[in-house]
């Protein structure tokens, strides 16, 4: 990907906007590539089956930032082991319970890594953090299916959880003049939970089917303001 931002300033000699501002202009290009490989072992029985696996992944992020004042070259290499697992149990042909676990990573963007501050808005300065790590996500899912096709009664329950290590969040610093400087940092303790359950059954009086459904979602995040952590729950 590439990005090119050119800021033209006012020229007092010509009375026109025809002077490039090298401090606010930027031109950068970056590339992201990854290679992975792994293996999985699966065990199968009549009532249940499960699988265990592990993958290795190497990610390479490179970029060049040309500001016209001082060019920057960023090169980052990330190596991760990504485990995964799955278990399924069949109570009967139409009743199953399934659990799965997987992992994945999210790399920081070039704008989050670049050390050159963006001062195009003097009241909201943004700067990167070249020491950022990848986000590492743990994903867990539980799914229950209880179907009775003969009586047209069905129960579905679903629960999902995601825990993120090294989550990239904003660290804001506000000075006495009200100017804010934002810098991305890594934190732990960020997670999300969501669930959904539904039950359907026939109702003769209505000559149809009634479905009851409920769900919930909870997110716990973090953000920093002047060095103090603030929890974000919703």
């Amino acid at each position: 990907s590439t990005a090119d931002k050119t800021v033209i300033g006012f020229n007092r000699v010509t009375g026109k906007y025809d002077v490039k501002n090298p401090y606010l202009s930027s031109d950068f290009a970056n590339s992201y590539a990854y290679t992975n490989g792994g293996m999985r072992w699966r065990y199968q029985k009549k009532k249940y089956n499960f699988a265990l696996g592990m993958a290795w992944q190497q990610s390479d992020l490179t970029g060049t930032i040309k500001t016209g004042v001082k060019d920057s070259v960023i090169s980052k290499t990330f190596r991760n082991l990504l485990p995964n697992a799955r278990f399924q149990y069949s109570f009967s042909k139409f009743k199953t319970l399934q659990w799965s676990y997987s992992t994945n990573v999210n790399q920081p963007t070039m704008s989050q890594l670049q050390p050159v501050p963006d001062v195009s808005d003097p009241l909201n300065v943004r700067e990167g953090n070249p020491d950022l790590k990848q986000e590492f996500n743990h994903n867990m899912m539980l799914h229950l299916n209880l179907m009775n096709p003969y009586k047209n009664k069905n129960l579905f329950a679903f629960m999902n959880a995601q825990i993120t290590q090294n989550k990239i969040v904003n660290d804001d610093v506000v000075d006495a003049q009200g100017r804010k400087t934002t810098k991305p940092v890594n934190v732990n303790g960020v997670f999300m939970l969501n669930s959904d359950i539904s039950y359907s059954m026939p109702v003769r009086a209505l000559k149809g089917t009634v479905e009851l459904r409920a769900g919930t979602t909870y997110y716990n995040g973090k953000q920093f303001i002047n060095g103090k952590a603030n929890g974000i729950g919703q």
Side-chain angles (χ1 to χ4, degrees):
S1 62
T2 61
D4 184 7
K5 181 176 71 174
T6 302
V7 178
I8 303 300
F10 182 72
N11 189 338
R12 297 181 182 273
V13 177
T14 62
K16 300 179 180 180
Y17 287 89
D18 57 5
V19 177
K20 181 179 179 180
N21 188 325
Y23 297 96
L24 301 182
S25 301
S26 62
D27 178 12
F28 66 87
N30 68 280
S31 63
Y32 175 76
Y34 69 90
T35 303
N36 61 13
M39 62 182 300
R40 175 180 292 183
W41 176 65
R42 184 178 180 185
Y43 187 80
Q44 179 78 43
K45 282 291 187 177
K46 183 177 180 181
K47 284 284 188 179
Y48 67 92
N49 66 82
F50 65 86
L52 301 173
M54 180 72 74
W56 174 85
Q57 178 173 302
Q58 176 172 311
S59 308
D60 297 292
L61 179 66
T62 58
T64 302
I65 306 166
K66 301 178 181 180
T67 62
V69 180
K70 183 180 179 180
D71 295 346
S72 300
V73 177
I74 296 176
S75 179
K76 301 279 287 188
T77 298
F78 305 96
R79 298 179 179 89
N80 295 283
L81 288 174
L82 305 175
N84 61 83
R86 184 179 64 82
F87 174 81
Q88 179 174 311
Y89 186 86
S90 299
F91 303 96
S92 66
K93 183 178 180 180
F94 302 106
K95 299 178 181 180
T96 60
L97 174 67
Q98 181 176 333
W99 173 86
S100 66
Y101 167 75
S102 63
T103 55
N104 68 287
V105 292
N106 297 323
Q107 76 280 2
T109 64
M110 185 57 60
S111 60
Q112 292 173 328
L113 290 170
Q114 62 175 324
V116 181
D118 181 359
V119 294
S120 55
D121 182 355
L123 296 180
N124 296 280
V125 178
R126 304 188 67 88
E127 62 178 82
N129 181 2
D131 297 323
L132 282 178
K133 301 176 182 178
Q134 282 184 319
E135 295 179 345
F136 195 102
N137 297 312
H138 302 265
N139 310 292
M140 287 169 282
M141 185 271 292
L142 183 66
H143 198 182
L144 176 66
N145 290 328
L146 301 178
M147 297 184 293
N148 190 334
Y150 309 107
K151 295 183 178 181
N152 199 23
K153 293 182 179 180
N154 304 296
L155 175 66
F156 301 100
F158 173 84
M159 185 175 66
N160 182 66
Q162 183 181 80
I163 302 173
T164 303
Q165 294 176 283
N166 297 320
K167 179 69 175 179
I168 300 175
V169 301
N170 288 334
D171 183 1
D172 297 332
V173 176
V174 182
D175 62 19
Q177 287 73 38
R179 294 172 297 190
K180 183 177 71 174
T181 301
T182 301
K183 182 179 181 179
V185 294
N186 292 113
V187 297
N188 291 320
V190 176
F191 64 89
M192 181 184 70
L193 301 172
N194 64 72
S195 62
D196 187 87
I197 184 171
S198 66
Y199 177 73
S200 61
M201 61 180 179
V203 179
R204 293 183 179 180
L206 300 176
K207 296 182 180 180
T209 302
V210 172
E211 180 179 353
L212 304 175
R213 186 173 182 178
T216 182
T217 299
Y218 180 77
Y219 173 77
N220 184 78
K222 285 185 179 181
Q223 190 172 7
F224 292 90
I225 299 179
N226 289 343
K228 295 183 178 180
N230 295 278
I232 302 174
Q234 61 183 28

